[in-house]
Amino acid sequence: MDTYDIFRVASAPLDIVWADRDANLAAVDAIVDKVEDGADLLVLPELFSTGYVNDPQLLADIAETNTGRTVDRLKEWASRRSIAIAGSFLARTAHRYYNRAFFIEPSGEETYYDKRHLFSLSDEAKVYAQGVTNKPIIRFRGWNISMIVCYDLRFPVWCRSIRNSYDLLLVPSNWPQVRGYAFEHLLIARAIENQAAVVGANRGGEDEYGKYDGLSYIFDSNGKPVARRDERTGLLYAELNRGRLRTQRERFPVVYDADEFRLTAPEL
């Protein structure tokens, strides 16, 4: 077995304090020190440091660049615990705002992805800019990892792992309980159809849009739940096995029968 055939994932269902970056960074600082030794990756929820903000003046005050305080803290935590940290934060580029996913490695290497599918039933599509790049493929400790954000999950072509391009899909989310059945089953579907493990890293607590507790999941490439919950810390953990993943793909190579969709949006 290769060194990184076993990949250890943790997910933190943070109860986000709305628009209070200091409180949320302090909460994650405490969580990072509680992550079990040997973990490779910690996945935080969507917009973990602020929650969903749509007020233009407040956005101007608290949105950050990739060189801001939030990313600095992420790099500090990743280095301190020798783990990668993923999630999304409220980002600013020039005068536009983005729901920006991040993957920060212990070395300080950083990868970003701006949420492509903005939730048009809310103001998100009015105040945030749409991402214009495809989801990334990150090579980390021998695993190919991709990430999307919340509502992106509903669009299977966008999530497609073309010819097994990724082994693990991360989905930081603020998905309310009222649509919890859909969230769980969409995560399962994305795992099965892509033969890849999936982490649905939902937030906890509640806000004006709903309640969120109990909707964080980790599924293996067969769509089976593999997470265990630490009752003391609330963190979810799973050990993913790349050897089993390779065997599954070799014995049932559906990838060779899959349609190779091409995205035609002009920005892509």
Side-chain angles (χ1 to χ4, degrees), residues 106-133:
S107 65
E109 187 169 348
E110 53 204 301
T111 303
Y112 298 101
Y113 159 77
D114 292 330
K115 185 177 182 179
R116 174 68 178 179
H117 299 89
L118 302 175
F119 191 51
S120 60
L121 298 179
S122 73
D123 288 337
E124 184 182 37
K126 299 176 183 177
V127 297
Y128 290 70
Q130 183 182 50
V132 296
T133 61

Side-chain angles (χ1 to χ4, degrees), residues 4-69:
Y4 293 114
D5 265 8
I6 301 299
F7 193 80
R8 297 174 176 85
V9 180
S11 175
L14 178 69
D15 184 351
I16 299 170
V17 182
W18 185 76
D20 192 335
R21 181 171 52 217
D22 290 344
N24 293 314
L25 291 178
V28 175
D29 189 61
I31 287 170
V32 166
D33 286 332
K34 296 175 182 176
V35 174
E36 293 178 358
D37 292 340
D40 296 293
L41 170 64
L42 171 64
V43 189
L44 301 172
E46 177 186 23
L47 297 171
F48 84 97
S49 55
T50 60
Y52 171 63
V53 174
N54 61 5
D55 177 79
Q57 183 57 55
L58 189 53
L59 279 169
D61 291 340
I62 65 175
E64 297 180 72
T65 67
N66 294 353
T67 58
R69 183 180 171 199

Side-chain angles (χ1 to χ4, degrees), residues 1-11 38-41 43 141-145 166-170 191 195-200 217-228 236-246:
M1 183 179 294
D2 294 339
T3 303
Y4 293 114
D5 265 8
I6 301 299
F7 193 80
R8 297 174 176 85
V9 180
S11 175
D40 296 293
L41 170 64
V43 189
R141 294 184 177 172
W143 286 67
N144 292 324
I145 302 170
Y166 63 78
D167 307 313
L168 172 61
L169 180 65
L170 310 179
Q195 293 185 312
V198 175
V199 178
Y217 303 98
I218 306 175
F219 297 105
D220 68 12
S221 56
N222 290 304
K224 295 181 179 179
V226 291
R228 63 175 176 84
L236 273 67
Y237 294 95
E239 288 192 356
L240 306 175
N241 189 310
R242 195 176 57 176
R244 292 176 187 167
L245 175 61
R246 282 196 300 263

Side-chain angles (χ1 to χ4, degrees), residues 74-79 82-85 103-111 138-141:
L74 290 164
K75 290 181 176 180
E76 175 192 332
W77 295 327
S79 175
S82 189
I83 59 175
I85 303 180
F103 190 96
I104 306 297
E105 301 180 31
S107 65
E109 187 169 348
E110 53 204 301
T111 303
I138 304 147
R139 183 74 171 175
F140 180 68
R141 294 184 177 172

Side-chain angles (χ1 to χ4, degrees), residues 143-180:
W143 286 67
N144 292 324
I145 302 170
S146 191
M147 56 186 180
I148 58 173
V149 180
C150 200
Y151 189 47
D152 285 329
L153 181 66
R154 286 187 177 270
F155 304 94
V157 174
W158 185 256
C159 301
R160 196 62 172 267
S161 176
I162 299 174
R163 293 194 174 274
N164 295 331
S165 57
Y166 63 78
D167 307 313
L168 172 61
L169 180 65
L170 310 179
V171 193
S173 300
N174 283 194
W175 201 294
Q177 289 177 353
V178 68
R179 292 186 290 276

